[in-house]
Amino acid sequence: MVIARNLEAMLQASSIAFLPKEKLNDFVGLLTEEFLLYGPVQKKTEFVFEKIENAAQLALDYHTTLLPPKKVLHQPFETLFSFSEGEGAVDDVSHVEEKQLLFGVHPCDVHAISILDEVYSHEYEDPYYMAKRRGTLVVALNCSTPGDDCFCSSLGTGPDLKDGYDLLLTDLGDNYLVETGSKAGQELVEMARLYSAPRVTLVEKEKRLSDARKKFKKRMITDGLHDLLEENFRHPVWEELMKKCLACGSCTMVCPTCFCYNVVDKIDLGLRSGKRQREWDSCMLLEYAQVAMGHNFRKDRDARIKQRLYHKLAYYEPQFGTLGCVGCGRCIHTCVKKIDITEIIGRIRGE
Amino acid sequence: MTAKPKIAVYKMSSCAGCQLEILNLEHVLLDVINAVDLSYFVMARRDSEPGPYQIGLVEGAVTCGEEIEKLKQARKECETLVALGSCACYGGLPSIKNWTPQRVVESRVYENPAAIHSTTAYGIDYYVAVDAYLKGCPINKEELVEFIKSALLGAKPYLRPHSVCVECKLYENVCVAVSEDIPCMGPVTTAGCGALCPANHKACDGCRGPADDTNAKSLAQTFKEHGLNPGDIKRKFHKFAGMTPEFDKGADIL
Ligand code: SF4
Ligand code: SF4
Ligand code: SF4
Ligand code: SF4
Ligand code: SF4
């Protein structure tokens, strides 16, 4: 079935080209002339998305970054507007459409961005996110070596990508195979005068990706997941997790599909001006579900653990049409207690 | 124009580092002075103005009878009383002595312990009602400013109640615990310091005391699994806020 799907993708691919690795620097240079460029760079033993000026900074053989590239579109801290007493009191600062490009984004994170696109335009458009998103191109990078905690292959969100990109790179050794996914992507290929690649290259690509598919160490069976979770709201695993979990919030802060935020006013000391800011929030934190007079809807830690898991794996789909987890494995990697979403589901299934 | 709110700064048993942080507010100190009147602040001015004061900032743990009296007086003359720093919040570093018999500690430090009338070190809320807690050893300056602004506005200040990990993630630090296997108190410690230590590649030492919904027992268990001995684990949880029931649970790993 996988093969058939990929053959179909092959036939549909609108144009394919080669980017020789020795030309990467020129290509990146060209992009920086047009765009604010973000790409994966090494930070100690980990990787992070950062502004890039040249290809030498890039670490394209990176495993998953600490924070997802989401952080460029939905920023950890973001000023929504500033205000002051008197005329023209409110000054919008964040509606600017910047021409930016996310370079080397893994398939899971591209899927996560598609999910956020849906979330932030679903009923009410989020003007801050959408303004940035409209000005952003995505150059994705298929994964030939999945990380230890990755399980995208269980969710169909990786290690290769079908859509959601402007350009899609696959590492073929000396060259990157470049597939175009949009008009803007096609223009980049033309601008960079990349040579077109023979279609047989797609076979080489498929070989590398099917090798990658064999390397996954984690999996999550998704059949009937919704019903499974509904039926196991009182499973003993939740109480065990309550004792184990530190309620530290890391798992949600690193998740590429988490979209919750808190809004805080920062007033200047003169008390006559200030700014309204939003910052990432997390349902794992006690304060999250606290309302006026101190009542809290999810006071118990197990209620919050369930909220996180159920939101990703049960509540998302009816609302947005996809699961809320893309299998990036960040929540597993980041957890000091090594609480593992795939193990939890396996446990409930009695695996 | 109404008079500027008067602020008093009191000192109990402490290193004066939190008061020093007030002076270290150089970049906004003049604005602060414009907004409030630092009426009683022995460290910074020679003469003092008498109370009552709108805000009292109390630094230090209470470790002797005289301090209890001084603290009760402070409570009387201040509308809002704030525990300034972890000593005032929980006993802080002075409370390390609480885990060793009083006379042993005294004779270790003083030549003539007979003159010492030291009591168990407590945070100030053991004796008086406290309206707000500015945690940290020392306090975070930005948080102090945030508190003063909110007090002036009559609004609830935004003081982070959650773990240091949250700020660590917001700033995308490399996690010393996960990436380098260094035991870190961040998951159970209150944020608000900007994840200062992990940002400088050091484990959090727990100086700001327990965060919301602290699960110290589970973290202590992980420390143990990663090779820390029970004595070290105890010292980690007792260092700044061992007098809180939350951290005492972590110390209770044996
Ligand atoms: S990262 Fe782990 S310990 Fe922290 S809140 Fe998430 S599941 Fe709990
Ligand atoms: S729930 Fe975990 S694995 Fe799934 S998308 Fe979020 S961080 Fe990645
Ligand atoms: S989860 Fe899949 S797509 Fe994401 S980094 Fe790992 S292998 Fe790549
Ligand atoms: S370094 Fe410490 S505070 Fe930071 S995320 Fe890791 S455990 Fe939490
Ligand atoms: S990281 Fe921990 S020890 Fe360091 S200042 Fe913050 S709370 Fe204190």
Side-chain angles (χ1 to χ4, degrees):
Chain A
M1 196 192 103
V2 175
I3 304 290
R5 194 182 63 199
N6 283 300
L7 270 176
E8 202 182 313
M10 274 185 212
L11 296 172
Q12 281 173 359
S14 54
S15 121
I16 57 172
F18 273 138
L19 170 61
K21 283 197 178 164
E22 77 243 16
K23 289 272 171 63
L24 183 65
N25 205 14
D26 296 346
F27 185 58
V28 168
L30 205 68
L31 295 177
T32 53
E33 281 170 27
E34 290 272 319
F35 303 94
L36 211 54
L37 202 66
Y38 293 86
V41 305
Q42 180 135 23
K43 182 173 184 181
K44 298 204 181 87
T45 50
E46 303 280 350
F47 298 90
V48 297
F49 270 90
E50 248 167 40
K51 272 192 198 129
I52 294 292
E53 258 124 47
N54 58 62
Q57 293 167 274
L58 286 171
L60 287 177
D61 55 353
Y62 75 111
H63 54 78
T64 315
T65 50
L66 288 175
L67 294 181
K70 164 187 101 173
K71 72 172 188 180
V72 174
L73 300 166
H74 175 40
Q75 298 165 347
F77 300 97
E78 180 167 30
T79 301
L80 305 181
F81 55 80
S82 57
F83 52 87
S84 56
E85 268 185 12
E87 298 272 325
V90 176
D91 185 15
D92 276 326
V93 281
S94 265
H95 284 67
V96 200
E97 288 188 31
E98 269 190 279
K99 270 181 87 178
Q100 51 187 11
L101 188 148
L102 302 175
F103 193 88
V105 183
H106 284 167
C108 56
D109 285 336
V110 175
H111 273 276
I113 290 172
S114 304
I115 289 175
L116 290 181
D117 290 348
E118 174 63 19
V119 168
Y120 278 136
S121 61
H122 189 64
E123 224 165 316
Y124 302 97
E125 182 164 298
D126 183 284
Y128 311 102
Y129 177 91
M130 290 310 287
K132 284 195 270 322
R133 180 66 180 103
R134 274 191 283 268
T136 306
L137 297 191
V138 176
V139 175
L141 173 66
N142 279 331
C143 292
S144 32
T145 319
D148 288 347
D149 296 316
C150 298
F151 58 101
C152 59
S153 56
S154 300
L155 303 171
T157 50
D160 57 328
L161 195 59
K162 306 285 177 297
D163 48 26
Y165 57 85
D166 295 287
L167 289 182
L168 172 63
L169 310 183
T170 307
D171 190 339
L172 297 181
D174 295 334
N175 294 295
Y176 288 105
L177 174 69
V178 183
E179 294 169 73
T180 52
S182 72
K183 196 157 155 282
Q186 185 60 36
E187 281 164 17
L188 291 182
V189 170
E190 282 159 21
M191 191 173 74
R193 303 192 185 174
L194 300 183
Y195 295 117
S196 69
R199 298 204 81 76
V200 60
T201 322
L202 291 170
V203 178
E204 167 68 8
K205 169 194 161 187
E206 183 44 37
K207 190 182 157 302
R208 289 187 182 249
L209 287 165
S210 66
D211 283 349
R213 271 184 216 106
K214 288 180 201 130
K215 292 186 197 150
F216 283 88
K217 296 182 184 146
K218 292 197 188 291
R219 63 163 196 170
M220 181 194 280
I221 300 173
T222 56
D223 293 342
L225 199 52
H226 188 278
D227 291 346
L228 181 87
L229 284 166
E230 295 278 284
E231 285 157 17
N232 283 285
F233 204 73
R234 307 254 171 251
H235 195 282
V237 73
W238 305 121
E239 201 186 323
E240 289 162 31
L241 287 168
M242 177 180 72
K243 293 198 181 118
K244 202 170 164 189
C245 171
L246 304 169
C248 71
S250 287
C251 47
T252 39
M253 300 309 278
V254 299
C255 179
T257 67
C258 277
F259 50 72
C260 289
Y261 57 82
N262 187 14
V263 176
V264 184
D265 284 344
K266 299 276 175 189
I267 314 288
D268 300 328
L269 202 53
L271 307 183
R272 289 171 192 282
S273 57
K275 56 189 184 179
R276 178 159 294 179
Q277 205 173 278
R278 70 176 173 190
E279 63 176 56
W280 292 354
D281 200 352
S282 157
C283 62
M284 287 305 297
L285 306 177
L286 182 67
E287 82 251 32
Y288 182 92
Q290 187 171 315
V291 293
M293 309 298 288
H295 180 72
N296 197 318
F297 291 100
R298 285 194 286 270
K299 194 160 65 54
D300 298 326
R301 205 176 309 129
D302 56 339
R304 302 201 294 281
I305 295 164
K306 277 194 249 184
Q307 162 62 27
R308 172 167 87 90
L309 273 289
Y310 278 69
H311 189 215
K312 301 286 171 208
L313 302 177
Y315 307 151
Y316 234 89
E317 203 163 17
Q319 196 180 3
F320 300 118
T322 76
L323 289 181
C325 172
V326 294
C328 75
R330 284 188 180 86
C331 55
I332 306 170
H333 177 70
T334 200
C335 180
V336 170
K337 298 296 298 184
K338 287 286 154 263
I339 290 172
D340 181 335
I341 186 168
T342 65
E343 280 174 18
I344 297 170
I345 297 305
R347 170 79 193 285
I348 296 176
R349 285 192 188 279
E351 278 173 23
Chain B
M1 196 185 136
T2 48
K4 288 193 272 185
K6 289 162 84 175
I7 294 192
V9 184
Y10 305 88
K11 181 180 183 310
M12 307 291 156
S13 295
S14 57
C15 73
C18 289
Q19 295 189 57
L20 193 61
E21 284 300 280
I22 303 178
L23 297 178
N24 283 344
L25 276 172
E26 283 153 5
H27 64 296
V28 290
L29 194 58
L30 287 177
D31 294 331
V32 174
I33 289 170
N34 264 330
V36 297
D37 195 353
L38 289 164
S39 311
Y40 175 79
F41 189 5
V42 177
M43 190 173 181
R45 54 182 291 181
R46 205 171 305 138
D47 52 332
S48 313
E49 292 164 31
Y53 312 104
Q54 267 80 18
I55 302 175
L57 305 172
V58 184
E59 181 199 74
V62 181
T63 64
C64 63
E66 293 90 317
E67 284 174 349
I68 302 174
E69 291 318 306
K70 196 166 139 193
L71 178 63
K72 287 189 173 154
Q73 179 60 26
R75 176 69 272 187
K76 263 187 225 144
E77 56 196 17
C78 297
E79 218 171 276
T80 299
L81 198 71
V82 183
L84 187 75
S86 291
C87 298
C89 292
Y90 319 109
L93 283 178
S95 72
I96 309 176
K97 76 175 182 115
N98 296 353
W99 315 100
T100 311
Q102 193 65 31
R103 249 177 288 157
V104 177
V105 181
E106 284 171 2
S107 60
R108 213 181 274 167
V109 179
Y110 299 100
E111 253 171 49
N112 178 15
I116 306 298
H117 315 286
S118 178
T119 53
T120 304
Y122 285 112
I124 61 172
D125 65 2
Y126 189 75
Y127 298 104
V128 297
V130 171
D131 302 300
Y133 298 84
L134 293 174
K135 305 171 180 184
C137 184
I139 53 156
N140 176 280
K141 290 181 291 199
E142 314 303 326
E143 245 190 11
L144 173 66
V145 172
E146 164 71 17
F147 177 80
I148 292 174
K149 284 187 295 198
S150 304
L152 295 177
L153 282 170
K156 190 167 181 274
Y158 178 61
L159 304 176
R160 292 178 180 276
H162 45 246
S163 79
V164 175
C165 298
V166 171
E167 279 190 294
C168 230
K169 294 294 176 275
L170 289 171
Y171 297 113
E172 205 169 11
N173 297 330
V174 173
C175 173
V176 300
V178 162
S179 303
E180 303 183 35
D181 201 18
I182 304 174
C184 181
M185 288 284 283
V188 295
T189 302
T190 313
C193 58
L196 185 61
C197 299
N200 289 291
H201 201 230
K202 299 263 185 312
C204 168
D205 219 5
C207 87
R208 295 174 58 88
D212 264 357
D213 197 23
T214 290
N215 190 351
K217 207 171 150 196
S218 176
L219 185 63
Q221 188 60 39
T222 298
F223 287 166
K224 199 171 153 192
E225 284 156 17
H226 287 242
L228 243 61
N229 67 49
D232 286 341
I233 296 175
K234 221 180 233 300
R235 275 185 287 279
K236 271 195 175 298
F237 284 96
H238 278 171
K239 189 162 178 184
F240 293 97
M243 295 301 279
T244 59
E246 294 92 334
F247 273 13
D248 198 34
K249 270 187 212 136
D252 202 20
I253 179 81
L254 289 174

